[in-house]
Amino acid sequence: MVAVALAIILSAVGAVFKGLLIPRPNHDLIVAVMDARLAEKAVEAENYKAAWQAAEAARREQDGQLSELLEFARTTDQVLKALGRRGSRDALAP
């Protein structure tokens, strides 16, 4: 019986020295720090998400504007080509 009690005491002391057992105030401090870091990371994730959504909205707006500009460029190109064909036909006619 004494051997069992001595073994339990020695294993508890060994666990403390290995860092497997820590005092409750240290544990509470570690838990509080981890909870604070988790809250900070959650806020940071929300900020990144909001920034990403704003960037995506700006990209969609930019894509729409670029499509509109390309359509104007195609129209202008067609008008200039038509004027060029008409000008060359007028130059050939006496």
Side-chain angles (χ1 to χ4, degrees):
M1 192 66 146
V2 173
V4 173
L6 187 59
I8 291 174
I9 290 172
L10 287 177
S11 62
V13 169
V16 169
F17 283 127
K18 289 180 181 177
L20 300 175
L21 295 177
I22 58 172
R24 179 167 297 280
N26 289 357
H27 178 266
D28 293 341
L29 180 63
I30 292 170
V31 169
V33 168
M34 292 303 292
D35 287 342
R37 288 190 68 195
L38 283 174
E40 288 174 10
K41 292 299 178 183
V43 169
E44 187 177 330
E46 286 298 317
N47 290 341
Y48 278 122
K49 183 178 179 181
W52 177 78
Q53 289 173 340
E56 283 296 307
R59 186 192 56 78
R60 283 191 297 274
E61 179 70 24
Q62 185 180 19
D63 287 346
Q65 291 174 353
L66 185 59
S67 295
E68 194 173 325
L69 287 173
L70 286 173
E71 186 60 35
F72 285 137
R74 286 185 195 108
T75 303
T76 303
D77 183 51
Q78 292 299 319
V79 167
L80 291 176
K81 285 180 181 177
L83 288 175
R85 284 192 300 264
R86 182 175 176 207
S88 64
R89 188 177 28 163
D90 290 342
L92 293 177

